[in-house]
């Protein structure tokens, strides 16, 4: 029941100065791509606990590219499938090649975060089956690429930034398109799907910095739907 004076209450910001300095909470970068500033902030304790469980079972490792280079970003995975790279190519695999065992399961806190971020960006019913966990130390970078090893391009990518900041490169559908730089901070979530699903993206070399979440590291969780969404 509404009390008679409910409609008259005004919502005044408690900290007007802090409020005006904040970046917009939701920014549509282009059709299909939405940046949700600070979306993961309230869940950081649960995410950190889950990361400890995942990395105890499947420690971070530097994978080798098909061209024979060692990646500067350290990676691990959780979920039904993990993204792996070696001299034979890139692929999704249900087995961690280091342990010979399935990847750690996707924690509930990860599933919920990805589902809710996707819904906020306009993608309903998102159930990722793969989460690539990237760890950047200062100097680590990820060159421009498309996420195209998945079977299902109808589902979006949900990418969560944690720890020290990074400059994200956001480009077009062609390799030669000119990227824009987007600063990504602790708690920011990017969602890209639909017409933006195959846009090129990357990360500039991460600058030396420190954050209470993971010290000198930037952690990125990238959720995908690797298998076909048609249940069979
Ligand atoms: C990725 O493209 O897999 C990671 C992007 C990021 O670290 O922000
Ligand atoms: Fe990517």
């Amino acid at each position: 029941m509404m009390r008679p004076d409910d409609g008259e209450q005004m919502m005044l910001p408690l900290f007007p100065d802090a409020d005006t300095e904040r970046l917009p909470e939701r920014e549509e970068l282009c059709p299909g791509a939405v940046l949700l500033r600070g979306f993961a902030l309230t869940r950081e304790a649960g995410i950190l606990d889950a990361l400890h469980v995942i990395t105890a079972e499947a420690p971070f490792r530097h994978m080798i590219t098909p061209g024979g280079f060692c990646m500067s970003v350290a990676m691990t995975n959780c979920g039904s499938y993990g993204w792996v790279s070696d001299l034979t190519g890139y692929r999704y695999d249900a087995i961690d090649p280091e342990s010979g065992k399935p990847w750690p399961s996707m924690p509930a806190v990860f599933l919920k975060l990805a589902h809710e971020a996707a819904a906020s960006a306009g993608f309903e019913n998102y159930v990722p089956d793969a989460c690539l966990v990237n760890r950047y130390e200062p100097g680590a970078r990820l060159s421009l690429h498309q996420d195209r090893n998945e079977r299902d391009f109808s589902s979006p990518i949900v990418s969560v930034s944690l720890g020290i900041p990074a400059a994200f490169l956001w480009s077009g559908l062609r390799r030669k398109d000119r990227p824009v730089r987007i600063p990504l901070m602790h708690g920011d979530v990017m969602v890209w799907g639909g017409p933006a699903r195959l846009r090129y993206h990357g990360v500039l070399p991460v600058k030396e910095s420190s954050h209470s979440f993971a010290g000198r590291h930037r952690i990125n969780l990238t959720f995908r739907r690797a298998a076909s969404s048609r249940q069979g």
Side-chain angles (χ1 to χ4, degrees):
M1 272 275 277
M2 278 220 350
R3 293 194 311 270
D5 61 343
D6 271 353
E8 286 165 31
Q9 284 178 5
M10 279 179 68
M11 296 297 287
L12 291 174
L14 283 177
F15 306 105
D17 293 343
D19 229 46
T20 48
E21 277 171 29
R22 274 199 62 79
L23 292 159
E25 254 177 43
R26 188 183 195 284
E27 202 179 330
E28 191 157 339
L29 300 171
C30 62
V34 179
L35 171 52
L36 303 165
R37 293 276 182 201
F39 193 89
L41 279 181
T42 55
R43 317 166 202 228
E44 62 178 340
I47 296 172
L48 195 56
D49 286 348
L51 279 172
H52 286 137
V53 173
I54 292 163
T55 54
E57 250 183 84
F60 284 111
R61 76 289 306 266
H62 292 272
M63 297 188 194
I64 307 293
T65 66
F69 294 101
C70 179
M71 298 184 77
S72 59
V73 180
M75 296 174 171
T76 185
N77 291 279
C78 65
S80 302
Y81 301 96
W83 185 87
V84 290
S85 174
D86 59 24
L87 290 174
T88 66
Y90 309 124
R91 65 181 181 281
Y92 279 95
D93 204 318
I95 301 296
D96 174 357
E98 294 284 310
S99 67
K101 293 193 298 199
W103 295 101
S105 55
M106 180 100 67
V109 61
F110 279 24
L111 269 178
K112 191 164 187 288
L113 168 63
H115 183 88
E116 290 177 7
S120 291
F123 300 96
E124 300 296 336
N125 308 318
Y126 183 55
V127 185
D129 59 5
C131 174
L132 171 65
V133 185
N134 293 315
R135 188 186 68 190
Y136 298 74
E137 56 180 25
R141 61 189 285 271
L142 201 61
S143 50
L144 274 180
H145 65 279
Q146 290 172 297
D147 289 357
R148 55 177 315 141
N149 298 121
E150 302 74 28
R151 294 249 170 85
D152 184 357
F153 293 155
S154 67
S155 290
I157 302 285
V158 173
S159 173
V160 180
S161 291
L162 298 157
I164 65 172
F168 188 69
L169 294 174
W170 180 242
S171 192
L173 294 170
R174 293 166 306 177
R175 180 171 286 282
K176 63 174 198 277
D177 289 340
R178 216 183 133 83
V180 293
R181 290 179 189 195
I182 300 172
L184 291 182
M185 268 86 68
H186 179 67
D188 292 349
V189 179
M190 280 269 301
V191 181
W192 64 93
R197 177 61 179 74
L198 289 174
R199 279 191 177 245
Y200 279 87
H201 58 279
V203 177
L204 285 179
V206 168
K207 295 207 174 108
E208 184 72 54
S209 180
S210 172
H211 188 281
S212 57
F213 185 80
R216 291 170 72 242
H217 291 127
R218 171 177 188 258
I219 305 285
N220 167 262
L221 312 177
T222 308
F223 295 94
R224 298 100 186 267
R225 177 98 208 152
S228 165
S229 54
R230 266 185 236 122
Q231 306 295 316

